[in-house]
Amino acid sequence: MNIVELDRVTKRYGTSVPVDHLDLAIERGEIFGFLGPNGAGKSTSIKMIVGLLKPSQGTIKIDGIDVNKHPLETKKRIGFVPQDLAIYPNLTARENILFFAKLYGLSGKELNARADEALEFVGLTERQQDKPKEFSGGMKRRLNIACAIAHRPQLIIMDEPTVGIDPQSRNHILESVKKLNTTGSTIIYTSHYMEEVEAICTRVGILDQGQLKALGTKNELMKTVAEEERLLIQVTAQNPAALAELQQHPRISHVIAEEQTLELYVSDSQTILQDILFILSKHSVNIQSLQRIEPDLETLFLSLTGRKLRD
Ligand SMILES: Nc1ncnc2c1ncn2[C@@H]1O[C@H](COP(=O)(O)OP(=O)(O)OP(=O)(O)O)[C@@H](O)[C@H]1O
Ligand SMILES: [Mg+2]
């Protein structure tokens, strides 16, 4: 049975529709990646799944149970790591975990054992008596995760848990996600970093402007953009006339120019290369290097929406 089911879920604020008739089923055991740019509607969707926001329309079921009709029943099954930290700066790390675990109904010996387990899991055992106000951003994030997992939920939902933290904590979190999954939890992992989603997720949903633009395993999604290729060209300086000409080329679908890089989305890079070199040399643009990049989720996102995942 699916652990999460969304049926035409919509959220409206006046005329803005951050989540627009979203249908989605997540199977038990998945690491589901929810990918989308800023403002796509990821957090709004997640908050509705967790029961913190009511949909304007549509139904959400966790484990077959309607979130709006039985909020307590469904909340017990979920561990939620919100995008904005939810920890108390003046409680110790351990006290924070105990606080949240009690909310989920743990007590006595079990409570303490699960707190130990959660601290160990996020690598904060040594710092358990310290207060998070003394922690680095990455440590706070890890504590936030520990607070969400101590009650061993079936479903763990993480909303951008790696934004703005050091690479070491980031890797630690990504490894933790995989470990939580192998020990039996289904994961929903929200991010706008496609590298992370590619690295850990078994299936990906791409959200943009409140709608699901694509859904599938990475391989399934990549097949849809197999013909599209990315060329990265380092140049000494940009030339507007050259850019205009590249943009007009029938086999170049997108041109993204930054200070000294040109990113071209092309079909059949082998035969188009001559055209590109000709255009650049005609406008006296010096090429420093040229690289072909395998299609990835970034390519897919651009081909679906005409925009980049990150600006
Ligand atoms: N309470 C609210 N009232 C009005 N509009 C809102 C409200 N909450 C969110 N929105 C709008 O809904 C849209 C989606 O926001 P949401 O936070 O779900 O995006 P997101 O995909 O999580 O983005 P990010 O990557 O920046 O976290 C945004 O345009 C936002 O301004
Ligand atoms: Mg968000």
Side-chain angles (χ1 to χ4, degrees):
M1 186 176 59
N2 293 322
I3 188 157
V4 180
E5 273 176 19
L6 273 69
D7 183 18
R8 315 233 355 118
V9 172
T10 302
K11 185 71 190 176
R12 279 191 205 93
Y13 294 109
T15 53
S16 112
V17 192
V19 180
D20 190 2
H21 296 88
L22 190 61
D23 286 322
L24 183 63
I26 295 170
E27 282 174 37
R28 206 171 284 281
E30 289 196 78
I31 303 182
F32 182 80
F34 216 15
L35 189 68
N38 290 134
K42 303 181 296 294
S43 296
T44 307
S45 307
I46 294 300
K47 284 181 198 156
M48 291 193 283
I49 295 173
V50 176
L52 291 171
L53 265 184
K54 261 196 165 53
S56 312
Q57 199 182 316
T59 53
I60 301 172
K61 286 181 182 168
I62 307 289
D63 223 3
I65 307 167
D66 191 314
V67 172
N68 279 312
K69 289 188 186 140
H70 306 282
L72 292 178
E73 271 304 296
T74 51
K75 276 202 180 91
K76 272 200 297 201
R77 289 163 161 80
I78 302 175
F80 175 46
V81 184
Q83 183 168 0
D84 302 317
L85 288 173
I87 47 177
Y88 294 95
N90 290 314
L91 297 179
T92 65
R94 186 182 188 86
E95 286 164 350
N96 264 287
I97 298 174
L98 294 175
F99 174 82
F100 285 99
K102 278 185 206 161
L103 285 184
Y104 285 111
L106 296 185
S107 62
K109 269 194 186 157
E110 195 189 15
L111 173 67
N112 275 299
R114 295 284 179 81
D116 289 339
E117 191 181 274
L119 281 161
E120 179 73 38
F121 189 81
V122 297
L124 287 176
T125 306
E126 310 288 305
R127 304 293 304 267
Q128 59 179 295
Q129 300 305 343
D130 297 336
K131 291 178 179 162
K133 62 181 177 190
E134 300 153 18
F135 285 2
S136 70
M139 288 163 72
K140 284 183 195 152
R141 280 273 161 218
R142 276 143 63 190
L143 177 59
N144 211 26
I145 293 173
C147 292
I149 62 170
H151 62 295
R152 291 191 188 159
Q154 302 175 31
L155 174 65
I156 298 170
I157 303 180
M158 297 185 177
D159 195 356
E160 311 229 24
T162 58
V163 167
I165 62 172
D166 58 284
Q168 199 189 343
S169 285
R170 183 173 184 231
N171 287 339
H172 194 288
I173 289 174
L174 294 176
E175 285 308 312
S176 310
V177 172
K178 287 199 268 183
K179 227 189 298 174
L180 286 165
N181 182 245
T182 48
T183 54
S185 295
T186 305
I187 318 274
I188 301 179
Y189 188 91
T190 296
S191 179
H192 60 267
Y193 295 127
M194 60 103 193
E195 308 90 331
E196 290 187 354
V197 167
E198 283 196 356
I200 63 169
C201 295
T202 51
R203 212 158 58 102
V204 183
I206 296 182
L207 196 69
D208 186 46
Q209 297 177 338
Q211 294 177 341
L212 210 53
K213 301 288 177 184
L215 179 70
T217 64
K218 191 195 159 195
N219 283 343
E220 285 165 357
L221 295 180
M222 283 308 105
K223 272 187 200 150
T224 62
V225 279
E227 298 87 62
E228 191 103 5
E229 291 184 80
R230 260 164 100 190
L231 293 176
L232 207 58
I233 304 172
Q234 298 287 340
V235 294
T236 43
Q238 301 290 2
N239 175 302
L243 284 181
E245 209 166 316
L246 289 170
Q247 263 151 358
Q248 278 159 13
H249 196 289
R251 287 193 1 255
I252 302 178
S253 58
H254 300 281
V255 179
I256 295 155
E258 273 155 29
E259 233 165 85
Q260 293 194 311
T261 46
L262 265 176
E263 202 178 324
L264 306 181
Y265 288 71
V266 304
S267 52
D268 193 357
S269 65
Q270 304 296 336
T271 58
I272 203 178
L273 216 49
Q274 272 192 345
D275 290 7
I276 293 171
L277 297 178
F278 176 75
I279 293 169
L280 292 177
S281 76
K282 189 168 81 180
H283 296 283
S284 310
V285 178
N286 288 322
I287 299 174
Q288 291 180 311
S289 71
L290 189 149
Q291 192 189 353
R292 188 177 157 268
I293 298 174
E294 291 296 320
D296 59 16
L297 291 178
E298 183 74 62
T299 326
L300 174 67
F301 186 79
L302 194 109
S303 78
L304 289 170
T305 66
R307 284 174 291 115
K308 289 198 79 167
L309 203 45
R310 270 177 288 167
D311 298 322

